[in-house]
């Protein structure tokens, strides 16, 4: 049964987006950050993170005190230079 399910999933995968779109659900109804009609997945994820109660009132990311000792901060700073940046008014 599992192998047949996997075979069927492989067959419908190329048409998955069109099949879901055919139901006509709006983004607000789905409440999905990944399945967005406008394709702005990363912007949606970032927006959800900012609105999360754990992140609202803190100047620092929750858990930063623990993670800053583990993360490669030099690498993060270098890669941040080449990432696409948006104006705060666009977020």
């Amino acid at each position: 049964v599992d192998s047949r399910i996997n075979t069927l999933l492989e067959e419908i995968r190329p048409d998955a987006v069109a099949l879901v779109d055919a139901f006509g659900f709006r983004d607000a109804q789905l409440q999905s950050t990944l399945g967005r009609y406008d394709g702005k997945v990363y912007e949606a994820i970032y927006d959800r993170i900012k609105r999360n109660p754990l992140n609202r009132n803190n100047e620092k990311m929750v858990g930063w005190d623990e993670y800053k000792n583990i993360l490669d901060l030099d690498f993060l700073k270098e890669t941040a230079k080449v990432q696409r940046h948006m104006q705060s008014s666009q977020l």
Side-chain angles (χ1 to χ4, degrees), residues 2 10 23 29 35-38 44 51 53 57 63 68 72 76:
D2 288 340
E10 286 176 19
F23 286 105
Q29 291 172 300
R36 296 193 43 100
Y37 185 77
D38 62 8
R51 289 187 289 134
N57 298 321
K68 70 179 180 184
D72 184 345
L76 293 176

Side-chain angles (χ1 to χ4, degrees), residues 8-25 30 34-37:
L8 292 172
L9 289 174
E10 286 176 19
E11 287 180 28
I12 67 167
R13 185 171 287 124
D15 301 309
V17 172
L19 289 169
V20 173
D21 286 348
F23 286 105
F25 292 112
L30 294 175
L34 297 177
R36 296 193 43 100
Y37 185 77

Side-chain angles (χ1 to χ4, degrees), residues 11-88:
E11 287 180 28
I12 67 167
R13 185 171 287 124
D15 301 309
V17 172
L19 289 169
V20 173
D21 286 348
F23 286 105
F25 292 112
R26 295 185 316 271
D27 287 342
Q29 291 172 300
L30 294 175
Q31 296 183 10
S32 171
T33 52
L34 297 177
R36 296 193 43 100
Y37 185 77
D38 62 8
K40 295 181 179 180
V41 175
Y42 297 107
E43 291 88 341
I45 292 171
Y46 183 68
D47 183 55
R48 281 280 177 109
I49 290 168
K50 286 190 333 184
R51 289 187 289 134
N52 185 300
L54 291 174
N55 298 321
R56 280 193 190 149
N57 298 321
N58 296 327
E59 292 293 322
K60 296 186 287 187
M61 176 182 84
V62 172
W64 177 250
D65 292 331
E66 291 81 22
Y67 289 121
K68 70 179 180 184
N69 298 321
I70 300 169
L71 295 172
D72 184 345
L73 299 179
D74 293 329
F75 172 79
L76 293 176
K77 287 176 187 172
E78 287 301 311
T79 56
K81 293 176 186 176
V82 296
Q83 293 177 4
R84 180 175 58 138
H85 294 281
M86 295 175 58
Q87 299 294 325
S88 59

